[in-house]
Amino acid sequence: MSPGKDYRICLQGKAGYVPAGSNQARDSARFPLFQFVDEEKLKSIKTFAAFISLLDNYEMSTGVAEVVTAEEIAEMNRFLDAILETKVMQITHDYLVEKKWSKPNLKDFKSQLYNIWFQLYNRAPGKSPDSCGFEHVFVGESKRGQEIMGLHNWVQFYLQEKKNNIDYKGFVGRQHKSRPDEDDQVLNLQFSWKDLVKPVGSSFIGVSPEFEVAVYTVVFLMSQEKITKEVVRVEEYELQIIVNRHGRYIGTAYPVLMSSNNPDLY
């Protein structure tokens, strides 16, 4: 999706400091972040359509056991099938096979992706399975209804903002850097979601779900460390991709913008 054409954002003011655990934030943005998204185009793209169907499948609060229906399993499979047809995931699979981190058989690769992203686990010891990598990263969840965790996806942000569940509070600037640009495709944001404040949430903007799954999966499989931080260059952006491992599954994953050759960012 192209900035300015397929979607438009309005950054407005710089967000203020919010202490951890606080749900009080100064609102530096009178208007929503997303001024326009071409939903017709979005939903006409197979991977986006399959992705959107997954967003209402999860309980928001950790500590509440997830119940997975046959219909939801079908939606997960439909999403994986859709992204595996894309050039992005074909290149990713080839790379992972070359590194011997994935098996060459596509069925095995799909199963690996399912386990990494959709296998349920419990975030609190002794509790029923209440979370998974996909829910945390792309949908978002709350820590027992008290603070926001995850929600690093622009489509979910837009759809929740449209439903008045998200209130965008402003952008979060990087140290020694000036204001971000409205064409930037990686942003740090402050917002509230159902009255809980996320002091800083970083997200790719305008990218495809297969791109995000590809990047985070590669970084996840690079290392067995609890936290993996990998510096990558995507077009004009130098990013740090951070992936937190929850055993054999993704705990969280998000981008951090380090620099850009866009002069507006310096």
Side-chain angles (χ1 to χ4, degrees):
M1 302 283 281
S2 302
K5 178 188 169 192
D6 300 322
Y7 68 89
R8 283 192 307 276
I9 62 171
C10 183
L11 288 166
Q12 301 160 81
K14 187 174 180 178
Y17 171 72
V18 175
S22 171
N23 283 309
Q24 301 298 316
R26 184 186 79 230
D27 199 338
S28 300
R30 289 179 55 203
F31 304 107
L33 174 65
F34 285 93
Q35 299 296 293
F36 162 76
V37 173
D38 187 342
E39 275 197 56
E40 195 175 329
K41 179 172 180 179
L42 193 72
K43 291 175 180 177
S44 72
I45 300 169
K46 194 173 179 180
T47 55
F48 277 108
F51 176 82
I52 289 167
S53 73
L54 294 168
L55 297 177
D56 62 357
N57 288 356
Y58 298 97
E59 293 286 344
M60 181 176 170
S61 181
T62 58
V64 179
E66 295 288 349
V67 178
V68 182
T69 66
E71 183 186 354
E72 289 170 352
I73 290 171
E75 288 173 347
M76 294 173 204
N77 280 302
R78 198 154 47 240
F79 172 68
L80 291 174
D81 288 339
I83 66 171
L84 286 170
E85 290 174 3
T86 66
K87 189 72 175 168
V88 168
M89 287 306 290
Q90 287 162 10
I91 292 168
T92 301
H93 186 209
D94 289 345
Y95 176 78
L96 293 173
V97 169
E98 187 185 319
K99 291 288 187 180
K100 297 184 168 51
W101 298 338
S102 296
K103 294 179 180 176
N105 185 288
L106 202 59
K107 214 171 185 179
D108 290 330
F109 184 45
K110 179 182 172 182
S111 178
Q112 183 183 29
L113 290 173
Y114 187 97
N115 287 331
I116 290 170
W117 286 101
F118 292 109
Q119 184 60 51
L120 292 176
Y121 53 76
N122 55 303
R123 288 197 177 266
K127 298 286 186 181
S128 299
D130 59 1
S131 185
C132 69
F134 184 91
E135 177 189 9
H136 183 95
V137 175
F138 296 115
V139 183
E141 54 190 346
S142 70
K143 190 173 184 177
R144 298 184 196 85
Q146 294 178 331
E147 62 181 270
I148 298 172
M149 302 192 301
L151 210 170
H152 299 287
N153 178 259
W154 74 277
V155 176
Q156 169 71 338
F157 191 103
Y158 161 68
L159 292 172
Q160 289 295 307
E161 193 174 54
K162 187 180 168 188
K163 291 177 181 174
N164 294 319
N165 289 332
I166 278 182
D167 181 10
Y168 169 61
K169 303 292 186 185
F171 68 89
V172 179
R174 292 170 297 137
Q175 199 174 12
H176 309 310
K177 303 291 180 185
S178 62
R179 169 186 187 86
D181 189 277
E182 291 179 352
D183 285 346
D184 284 339
Q185 291 191 280
V186 184
L187 292 174
N188 293 335
L189 310 170
Q190 186 178 104
F191 59 93
S192 65
W193 183 33
K194 298 181 180 177
D195 299 324
L196 301 176
V197 170
K198 178 106 176 173
V200 187
S202 60
S203 181
F204 286 108
I205 307 290
V207 302
S208 68
E210 60 265 31
F211 170 82
E212 292 192 78
V213 168
V215 170
Y216 297 144
T217 299
V218 169
V219 175
F220 174 79
L221 291 172
M222 285 176 69
S223 165
Q224 294 296 313
E225 296 295 319
K226 172 76 174 168
I227 300 173
T228 304
K229 299 179 179 182
E230 188 67 20
V231 176
V232 299
R233 182 167 286 282
V234 181
E235 295 180 343
E236 80 253 36
Y237 304 103
E238 188 176 41
L239 307 170
Q240 189 172 58
I241 303 296
I242 298 176
V243 176
N244 192 310
R245 179 179 281 272
H246 190 98
R248 291 175 295 148
Y249 319 115
I250 282 181
T252 190
Y254 53 92
V256 175
L257 185 60
M258 297 175 73
S259 67
S260 167
N261 63 15
N262 180 342
D264 290 333
L265 287 174
Y266 284 94

